[in-house]
Amino acid sequence: MKILISSETISAKLKQTGDYISKKYKDGNLLLVGILKGSFVFLADLARNITIPCEIGFMGTQSYIGTHSSGEVRITLDLQQNIADYNVVVAEDIIDSGNTLKAIADILRARNPKSLEIITLLDKPDRRETDIQADRVLFTISDEFVVGYGLDYNEKYRNLPYIAIIEE
Ligand code: IMP
Ligand code: MG
């Protein structure tokens, strides 16, 4: 296991991101949406760096088997809030092919939120299959399979406090 991004580096970036969100959305209803399961750690830490009132929601998708995206995205869990009155900020763990984010963004946009912003912890731009772009990327990485800080390899390693590369 090789550490790619340390917990200290992640914390510093989350502080900045929390400040940015807290300033930008101080005058509206903020709904932070985590995409399960991968973003659960990111969402929890980001939420604790936000200093304005906010609600938390979750969506679930499934698209990934082993280390290869199947290209098809299934919604397995949906929001309870009607998002029309909310500034929605989506917290995604990683954008790889972009298929998951595209599906989520299309669904949420069709519900006409006051605003929609997509923040991703990690971006692997080399692997993109769609033209989707996050509004804010915390870390851009090269085409390597990473685990930890919510991200898994066959459901393992989500609990690591840093982001790492598995060395076979
Ligand atoms: P996409 O639809 O191909 O953009 O990827 C969607 C999902 O695949 C992400 O939300 C992750 O859960 C998972 N994923 C993509 N790359 C990695 C990785 O390097 N490690 C762990 N999970 C990944
Ligand atoms: Mg995910």
Side-chain angles (χ1 to χ4, degrees):
M1 203 67 75
K2 192 180 110 207
I3 297 184
L4 185 66
I5 308 173
S6 70
S7 19
E8 292 76 18
T9 304
I10 298 170
S11 298
K13 194 71 105 177
L14 286 188
K15 172 88 177 63
Q16 289 172 11
T17 310
D19 288 347
Y20 159 80
I21 292 174
S22 304
K23 282 202 188 81
K24 181 165 178 186
Y25 297 108
K26 65 177 182 332
D27 297 321
N29 291 330
L30 174 61
L31 175 64
L32 253 192
V33 176
I35 311 301
L36 295 176
K37 299 177 198 168
S39 75
F40 82 105
V41 178
F42 174 41
L43 181 89
D45 283 347
L46 180 60
R48 282 176 289 181
N49 279 282
I50 293 175
T51 54
I52 58 169
C54 84
E55 293 181 32
I56 307 284
F58 291 102
M59 290 180 80
T61 62
Q62 210 164 35
S63 73
Y64 226 73
I65 293 157
T67 61
H68 292 280
S69 177
S70 64
E72 201 180 299
V73 178
R74 221 157 46 86
I75 301 294
T76 53
L77 175 74
D78 206 345
L79 295 172
Q80 280 144 14
Q81 291 90 342
N82 173 347
I83 62 173
D85 293 330
Y86 288 90
N87 295 310
V88 175
V89 173
V90 173
E92 174 61 307
D93 54 355
I94 187 166
I95 310 178
D96 188 37
S97 70
N99 293 322
T100 304
L101 194 59
K102 174 133 193 9
I104 297 272
D106 287 350
I107 290 166
L108 292 179
R109 211 169 279 120
R111 296 178 187 173
N112 291 310
K114 260 172 56 192
S115 65
L116 178 66
E117 174 163 3
I118 291 159
I119 299 184
T120 188
L121 175 67
L122 301 170
D123 187 12
K124 278 201 266 190
D126 295 348
R127 307 234 329 150
R128 205 68 94 253
E129 292 169 10
T130 59
D131 60 1
I132 189 115
Q133 199 67 39
D135 299 297
R136 210 172 167 93
V137 175
L138 274 56
F139 302 100
T140 300
I141 61 171
S142 56
D143 180 8
E144 266 166 313
F145 195 82
V146 292
V147 297
Y149 204 73
L151 291 138
D152 72 305
Y153 173 66
N154 288 338
E155 294 302 325
K156 299 272 178 6
Y157 309 114
R158 293 192 194 274
N159 57 316
L160 297 176
Y162 45 77
I163 293 162
I165 297 168
I166 308 178
E167 292 160 310
E168 269 139 311

